[in-house]
Amino acid sequence: MTEAAAALEDARFGARQDSRHEDLANDERGPAELAEWTRITLLLAGSDDVYDPQGDVVVQAELAADAAAAAREAELREAMRIAARADELQALRELGILEQTEPRDGDEAVRDELTRRAGGYVQTDVDAWFAHALAAHLGHYRDPAARQEAAGLLTPPVLAHAALLAGLVRLVPGADVDELAFAARLATAEPEAAGALAAFLTRARSNAS
């Protein structure tokens, strides 16, 4: 309480000093500080408590509001990033050179954005791009942690397609992606069966080794 009272007196003194200077008379910081220390002093009046911001509901409400505003700003920045990346991938698709770029961290959300823009329709070229990148460990999928995370972000057909591609390439090294177009059809029609086939191919190769 003594520290709060002393701070209040300092704020009052500062406010009186500022009022004597025309260039500081309209400065809102002084009155705001005076009002805050007045509030804190009244909050502690009649007690021996030491001021603790953790127990000040006003301060905690302000901190919560600041945190919420920061979260909204972060969400907005992320939405803008996703939209810009979706525009970029769409432009590459239209130029027919999507396969010449590699996926980046967060592109799974970009896939969702492209699907939303398409009215919910599955875009086979985008899904095939993801599957090939995942199978060949391209872009950020070089990181095992990114591949593991993708398992919870991409759809079963994409994951099954990637697993089947990886199994087929191990079986026939040097196989061209165009030769394996049937893998996408299998994964789209029967993702569970395609996944089972990929596991079988992996097991068969391990046994052969």
Side-chain angles (χ1 to χ4, degrees), residues 4-154:
L8 175 58
E9 285 304 313
D10 289 343
R12 285 173 175 167
F13 177 77
R16 287 195 298 270
Q17 292 296 104
D18 290 349
S19 66
R20 297 172 183 173
H21 299 277
E22 185 176 348
D23 58 329
L24 297 175
N26 295 323
D27 190 340
E28 296 180 356
R29 289 174 297 179
E33 182 180 0
L34 176 58
E36 181 64 4
W37 280 116
T38 299
R39 186 188 67 79
I40 292 173
T41 302
L42 292 173
L43 180 68
L44 298 176
S47 73
D48 295 327
D49 294 341
V50 176
Y51 177 67
D52 181 7
Q54 295 293 331
D56 189 331
V57 294
V58 173
V59 170
Q60 294 306 308
E62 290 174 349
L63 290 175
D66 290 344
R72 288 193 297 272
E73 185 177 349
E75 288 176 0
L76 178 60
R77 287 197 301 269
E78 178 63 5
M80 292 174 64
R81 183 198 68 79
I82 290 172
R85 178 63 169 164
D87 290 341
E88 178 184 353
L89 294 185
Q90 183 60 43
L92 293 173
R93 293 173 69 192
E94 292 172 358
L95 291 171
I97 55 174
L98 177 60
E99 68 282 355
Q100 295 181 22
T101 191
E102 294 186 346
R104 304 174 187 167
D105 184 27
D107 273 356
E108 294 86 2
V110 177
R111 176 191 178 278
D112 294 339
E113 170 63 12
L114 288 170
T115 303
R116 184 194 65 78
R117 292 182 182 184
Y121 291 105
V122 173
Q123 298 170 98
T124 55
D125 57 338
V126 174
D127 280 1
W129 177 69
F130 271 104
H132 177 248
L134 190 57
H137 301 175
L138 302 178
H140 77 297
Y141 291 138
R142 293 184 182 91
D143 183 357
R147 297 198 296 274
Q148 184 175 2
E149 184 179 7
L153 299 173
L154 295 173

